[in-house]
Amino acid sequence: MTEFTQINLDKADGIATLTLHRPEKMNAFTHTMMDEMIAAIDDTDADDSVRAVIVTGHGDRAFCAGADLTPEGSDGNVFARHDPVETLSDERVRDGGGRLTLRLFNSQKPLIGACNGVAVGVGATMQLPFDMRLCSDNARFGFVFARRGITPEACSSWFLPRLVGMQTALEWCMTGRIFDAAEAKERGLVRSVHPQGELMDAAIAIAREIADNTSAVSVAMTRAMLWRLSATEHPMMAHRVDSRAIYRLGKSADSKEGVMSFLEKRPPNYPDTVSQNMPDFYPWWDEPDFR
């Protein structure tokens, strides 16, 4: 397993927990953290024993306090830094938060956010590709970019309006104000708010329900279908993928087990794996007819 310095990755009983771990900086985001989070998702995708991933922050104050504004040699222009291989033109520059959220978007395992405190800037936008977001009652969120003289990043202009609606997305991003857990739940950013000491138990309960009762291949396909097809221009695009998916999976060992376990009134034991048994047309979005 990769050695990490700014995150922790723990696995137990089918559930991986990815913890942002820079306690001296309220888990502030760095290029190193980006690389390590991407590597961790590569790891969980490749590990068939992992059925769900929980992402949280270390401690009880902060999930992630945004980008580290005091990196060595920044001279204040921390948001203009980029990789040496991408220095030829502005058009080639890639935002680090966006590189992370695109990798999270392509995860084959469900992602459950357990926001344990302050989450501003990239600390908020990195959570948008999570499939479910829970938070503690002391959580605070802020899309503060306009207050730092920059714009929303991490593909949040695509994710945020889909989650909370355009009016709320515009309000939060144009004011840059900090808002509390209650507002986050009211506006649809999080599914539930929990006392700090109960947050991880709630996240684990959801992960456990997925791990114990569902087909890994079904969940991976469902995740990709809902995220990608809901953004297409016509339901026919969804119909085309739905039809192929249910036909292919309907012939699978998992489908047979799902039916037999139901008829025999016993817990399922799904044999198929994401690494070996995804449908032959996955990933369909790379096919010219589906672009």
Side-chain angles (χ1 to χ4, degrees), residues 37-56:
M37 292 184 72
I38 290 173
I41 299 302
D42 290 344
D43 182 293
T44 56
D45 267 2
D47 187 344
D48 285 327
S49 73
V50 173
R51 293 298 321 283
V53 182
I54 297 171
V55 184
T56 191

Side-chain angles (χ1 to χ4, degrees), residues 38-254:
I38 290 173
I41 299 302
D42 290 344
D43 182 293
T44 56
D45 267 2
D47 187 344
D48 285 327
S49 73
V50 173
R51 293 298 321 283
V53 182
I54 297 171
V55 184
T56 191
H58 175 82
D60 57 9
R61 294 180 58 208
F63 172 80
C64 173
D68 189 342
L69 299 183
T70 59
E72 184 177 352
S74 70
D75 295 327
N77 291 323
V78 298
F79 301 112
R81 294 177 298 138
H82 46 78
D83 293 339
V85 297
E86 294 165 346
T87 58
L88 297 180
S89 67
D90 287 350
E91 288 77 13
R92 293 193 61 197
V93 172
R94 292 190 63 192
D95 150 50
R99 291 172 61 188
L100 172 60
T101 55
L102 287 171
R103 182 63 188 90
L104 295 169
F105 178 72
N106 285 320
S107 171
Q108 292 182 307
K109 307 298 172 69
L111 304 176
I112 301 167
C115 181
N116 55 302
V118 172
V120 297
V122 70
T125 56
M126 76 165 68
Q127 298 186 56
L128 302 181
F130 297 167
D131 303 300
M132 288 148 275
R133 287 162 301 281
L134 294 68
C135 74
S136 58
D137 51 12
N138 69 321
R140 299 292 183 271
F141 300 87
F143 298 90
V144 297
F145 309 102
R147 298 194 179 200
R148 304 292 179 267
I150 56 171
T151 55
E153 39 64 88
C155 309
S156 55
S157 56
W158 191 90
F159 285 108
L160 188 59
R162 284 171 168 78
L163 295 174
V164 303
M166 185 61 75
Q167 180 170 259
T168 293
L170 287 166
E171 177 189 338
W172 282 349
C173 291
M174 290 196 296
T175 66
R177 65 180 174 82
I178 305 296
F179 54 95
D180 63 14
E183 182 173 342
K185 183 176 185 300
E186 179 186 0
R187 302 287 188 99
L189 182 63
V190 301
R191 70 173 287 279
S192 53
V193 179
H194 305 269
Q196 179 71 244
E198 300 174 12
L199 175 62
M200 284 303 295
D201 287 342
I204 290 169
I206 297 173
R208 185 83 274 137
E209 187 169 5
I210 294 170
D212 292 346
N213 298 295
T214 67
S215 155
V217 173
S218 295
V219 168
M221 278 298 295
T222 298
R223 183 181 198 275
M225 290 164 67
L226 289 176
W227 271 115
R228 292 178 180 276
L229 297 174
S230 63
T232 56
E233 63 185 11
H234 194 282
M236 180 56 74
M237 300 297 290
H239 176 59
R240 291 166 67 186
V241 177
D242 291 353
S243 299
R244 294 172 74 181
I246 199 164
Y247 176 73
R248 296 293 199 281
L249 269 63
K251 299 191 296 182
S252 70
D254 272 7

Side-chain angles (χ1 to χ4, degrees), residues 28-45:
F29 186 76
T30 68
H31 189 99
T32 297
M33 182 180 285
M34 176 201 73
D35 286 338
E36 293 186 357
M37 292 184 72
I38 290 173
I41 299 302
D42 290 344
D43 182 293
T44 56
D45 267 2

